[in-house]
Amino acid sequence: MANTTHIGLDQVRQQLRQPRTQLKGRQVMPEARSEVQALIGMPPAEGHRRDLLIEHLHVLNDHFHGLFERHIVALAAEMRLPVVEVFEVASFYHHFDILKDDATAPRITVRVCDSLSCSLAGSDSLLRHLQNDLLDVKVVPVPCLGRCEQAPAAQVGQQAVAHATSDAVAQRVAQNQTEPNPLPDAIRLAAYRQAGGYQLAQQIATSLKDHESVIQCLESSGLRGLGGAGFPAGRKWRIVRSQPGPRLMAVNIDEGEPGTFKDRTGLEADPHRFLEGVLIAASVVGCEAVYIYLRDEYHEARVLLTQELAALQANPPCALPRIELRRGAGAYICGEESAMIESIEGKRGEPRMRPPYIAEVGLFGRPTLEHNFETLFWVRELIEQGADSFASQGRHGRKGLRRFSVSGRVKHPGVKLAPAGITLRELVDEYCGGMAEGHTLYAYLPGGASGGILPARLADVPLDFDTLQPHGCFIGSAAVMVLGQHDSAREAALNVMRFFAHESCGQCTPCRVGTDKAAQLMTAPVWDTDTLQDLAQVMGDASICGLGQAAPNPIRCVLDYFPHEVGAEVKA
């Protein structure tokens, strides 16, 4: 008979009554806590602000080249947050590298862009060479770096590498060149004010210029939000202004749409023109605080903006609202306004269900004016020159000017200031020097990854809000990517669908599952048209935000305009 061990009930009760020798769960290591305190500072009397969690994670990630688990536990204790909540936020963002305590952090991380424009310029080959040659650093492919005109683009630590080659990247790694590049040509505060800058902001802040007249000027000009949605700017100011205070403002410079780089170039050249637009908007709408959300890939711009904000606050032209610069962490979804607001609050960047809209219940539950960089960049010039001057600039019956980010197979890619309503053919011929040598126009993406793909025969459609929708596309942030006769629309569509699958926040099933499944199906030589159309329908109808709703556009455009590439039936 087998031996049987009997444990009496009294013995169990006695063991349960024994005091614990240590607390449950993972404990904070004193050394790790000291390291965290040294970097983020001791907590104020009211404790560390919850909304600064992501900023503190950046400080740790930058210093240690990764987020070690012991530091995450210590940070949670310092901020009086559950450890799991800090892990959930850190793991949501691509630029936070969570490491086991016994792991070794990479000395340098090299990022190589694999978005469409960089892929056309040979980034896939560059990535393979770097992964083979640079064995002592971390080399990873990443979504768009916002330098499509400099394709192929790379980053060594925080230093951007334009038109990257294996030798150029290897040289920076060998010399440990990881700091952001200087921006010697940027217009600084003294030069901006000497040229008349901030006089308009001062007049508006002191009521020398009527606030209502400013809003009327915006409305008459037809200025619309230039981040992609295109909501009329004047109407937005009026709506938020009508809400009860305190009101806040959130500025979106998280231009993660592949093909888009206009905000970066404007910020790197003339930061105070943008900041004056911020001050004007805050004065007219009555916003007591402004939060500027800048994508993390823009390290050079962040250094510049930090310096110029400090200079402005040290010598203000008028009473300033509280201005805080927030750093994104590598999540395209945070370009969606409500996801950006969640991120500013120190949370995972997941879009909110609407209503309520952020104009009513936005940042920290307050009415919030949300704008993209370029919209605010136009404000000073538009008010000084008048609505009629701006509105008269368009072509083909459209109004105003636009900054087009042009990349791909053109001779001179870059940001092109051109009339709204210009056609793709006119834009390439008049502003880009024509097609690149050896290439003829085959197709183009008029609005970045999500704006769809059109064939060369539709190159005479005006590029503006509402003009492209009849063709299954939209202008979005005016990111124009041009394909030549040696390129493939199906490969372009697959590239952007993989981007969407990578960047989906995962909150809703249609987007999370649909983008991944679509990317798999799109690798087949002959597309399963019925299944892809079903996926497109579900994603478009049931996704929470614009990422999933717009992701089907490349699928539909390939089936409509390039069926010969995927073995689909040609429509009559």
Side-chain angles (χ1 to χ4, degrees):
M1 184 175 178
N3 292 331
T4 303
T5 301
H6 295 281
I7 301 177
L9 184 59
D10 290 340
Q11 184 180 353
V12 173
R13 287 172 175 164
Q14 185 176 3
Q15 289 177 347
L16 291 173
R17 292 192 186 102
Q18 293 293 324
R20 295 186 182 279
T21 57
Q22 66 180 31
L23 296 173
K24 294 177 70 175
R26 180 164 177 168
Q27 301 307 300
V28 179
M29 298 170 61
E31 182 181 357
R33 190 161 197 162
S34 296
E35 290 172 333
V36 169
Q37 290 172 341
L39 289 171
I40 72 169
M42 299 298 291
E46 64 276 12
H48 287 291
R49 288 168 51 185
R50 170 63 180 79
D51 61 294
L52 292 178
L53 172 58
I54 294 173
E55 296 298 307
H56 294 333
L57 288 170
H58 271 303
V59 171
L60 296 173
N61 197 71
D62 288 349
H63 184 82
F64 295 106
H65 301 277
L67 291 174
F68 287 97
E69 291 182 349
R70 63 181 180 273
H71 293 133
I72 292 178
V73 174
L75 179 63
E78 281 295 291
M79 298 191 70
R80 301 175 185 174
L81 293 171
V83 174
V84 67
E85 187 173 342
V86 179
F87 265 100
E88 284 178 347
V89 172
S91 63
F92 181 85
Y93 296 93
H94 300 309
H95 289 182
F96 293 139
D97 191 6
I98 299 177
L99 303 170
K100 297 288 186 182
D101 285 338
D102 58 356
T104 300
R107 179 173 68 89
I108 295 173
T109 296
V110 175
R111 294 179 167 89
V112 179
C113 180
D114 65 1
S115 71
L116 179 57
S117 296
C118 286
S119 181
L120 293 175
S123 64
D124 296 342
S125 174
L126 174 64
L127 176 65
R128 288 194 300 271
H129 281 100
L130 292 176
Q131 289 177 329
N132 289 331
D133 297 343
L134 302 179
L135 303 179
D136 62 334
V137 300
K138 183 178 180 180
V139 181
V140 294
V142 295
C144 187
L145 291 174
R147 296 182 177 274
C148 313
E149 86 283 22
Q150 301 171 0
Q155 279 185 343
V156 178
Q158 294 188 2
Q159 186 169 116
V161 186
H163 307 294
T165 63
S166 296
D167 289 344
V169 172
Q171 182 180 22
R172 285 168 170 79
V173 169
Q175 297 176 357
N176 203 37
Q177 292 179 238
T178 60
E179 294 301 310
N181 294 303
L183 297 171
D185 297 328
I187 300 173
R188 304 282 178 159
L189 178 60
Y192 184 77
R193 295 191 72 167
Q194 188 174 5
Y198 288 114
Q199 291 182 8
L200 179 61
Q202 188 177 47
Q203 293 171 4
I204 292 173
T206 56
S207 298
L208 292 177
K209 191 169 185 64
D210 179 57
H211 290 185
E212 176 62 25
S213 69
V214 172
I215 294 181
Q216 289 177 358
C217 180
L218 292 183
E219 292 174 332
S220 300
S221 71
L223 180 68
R224 296 171 68 166
L226 299 174
F231 193 86
R235 191 191 312 172
K236 182 182 286 189
W237 289 26
R238 194 176 294 282
I239 290 171
V240 179
R241 190 184 182 201
S242 70
Q243 301 297 313
R247 293 176 287 276
L248 304 175
M249 183 175 176
V251 182
N252 190 341
I253 321 181
D254 193 63
E255 57 170 359
E257 182 79 16
T260 310
F261 47 91
K262 59 184 175 61
D263 291 353
R264 172 184 59 79
T265 57
L267 180 54
E268 290 178 346
D270 197 354
H272 288 283
R273 183 169 296 275
F274 153 69
L275 289 173
E276 183 162 16
V278 169
L279 297 187
I280 291 170
S283 293
V284 172
V285 178
C287 300
E288 66 174 31
V290 178
Y291 296 80
I292 301 174
Y293 191 84
L294 179 65
R295 73 176 302 198
D296 193 33
E297 289 83 354
Y298 291 173
H299 299 291
E300 285 82 3
R302 187 178 68 253
V303 171
L304 175 67
L305 191 53
T306 299
Q307 294 170 348
E308 295 310 299
L309 275 172
L312 182 65
Q313 290 164 339
N315 185 22
C318 54
L320 302 180
R322 188 176 80 255
I323 303 176
E324 295 192 22
L325 177 60
R326 293 300 177 84
R327 181 177 170 186
Y332 165 73
I333 192 63
C334 291
E336 196 277 338
E337 60 180 12
S338 66
M340 176 189 67
I341 282 175
E342 290 287 299
S343 190
I344 291 173
E345 293 180 356
K347 304 172 187 175
R348 297 162 63 92
E350 295 177 333
R352 297 176 179 177
M353 296 292 291
R354 288 168 288 189
Y357 295 93
I358 69 167
E360 303 167 308
V361 182
L363 192 55
F364 306 117
R366 302 308 312 163
T368 302
L369 176 67
E370 188 273 344
H371 264 313
N372 123 287
F373 171 91
E374 189 190 357
T375 309
L376 295 165
F377 195 80
W378 274 112
V379 166
R380 174 192 164 187
E381 183 174 338
L382 192 153
I383 297 172
E384 286 181 341
Q385 296 187 4
D388 292 341
S389 175
F390 178 82
S392 66
Q393 299 293 324
R395 286 190 189 178
H396 304 296
R398 314 305 295 179
K399 292 183 178 181
L401 293 168
R402 292 293 301 268
R403 286 178 169 83
F404 293 87
S405 304
V406 187
S407 62
R409 307 299 192 185
V410 296
K411 283 185 181 177
H412 305 301
V415 176
K416 311 298 178 180
L417 179 60
I422 193 171
T423 69
L424 183 281
R425 200 180 310 278
E426 293 169 339
L427 183 64
V428 170
D429 291 344
E430 298 176 30
Y431 290 83
C432 302
M435 295 291 292
E437 196 68 32
H439 293 274
T440 57
L441 180 64
Y442 174 64
Y444 68 102
L445 289 76
S450 57
I453 309 173
L454 291 175
R457 64 182 174 83
L458 293 178
D460 296 313
V461 175
L463 298 175
D464 199 14
F465 297 111
D466 311 320
T467 59
L468 296 162
Q469 279 84 337
H471 306 284
C473 295
F474 58 81
I475 188 68
S477 58
V480 178
M481 294 186 279
V482 181
L483 306 182
Q485 80 278 18
H486 303 299
D487 301 316
S488 163
R490 63 165 291 160
E491 289 301 320
L494 177 58
N495 181 287
V496 300
M497 188 58 70
R498 284 172 171 161
F499 170 82
F500 292 136
H502 182 268
E503 293 298 316
S504 172
C505 76
Q507 183 181 187
C508 64
T509 303
C511 177
R512 181 184 68 249
V513 176
T515 53
D516 184 64
K517 183 63 175 177
Q520 295 176 37
L521 290 170
M522 291 164 71
T523 62
V526 176
W527 280 9
D528 181 347
T529 303
D530 290 341
T531 302
L532 281 168
Q533 287 177 335
D534 286 345
L535 277 173
Q537 186 72 38
V538 173
M539 283 192 285
D541 290 346
S543 295
I544 291 174
C545 80
L547 190 156
Q549 294 164 9
N553 288 339
I555 297 174
R556 292 178 173 134
C557 286
V558 169
L559 292 175
D560 286 346
Y561 301 117
F562 309 94
H564 58 281
E565 291 194 23
V566 296
E569 183 178 334
V570 179
K571 288 187 176 182

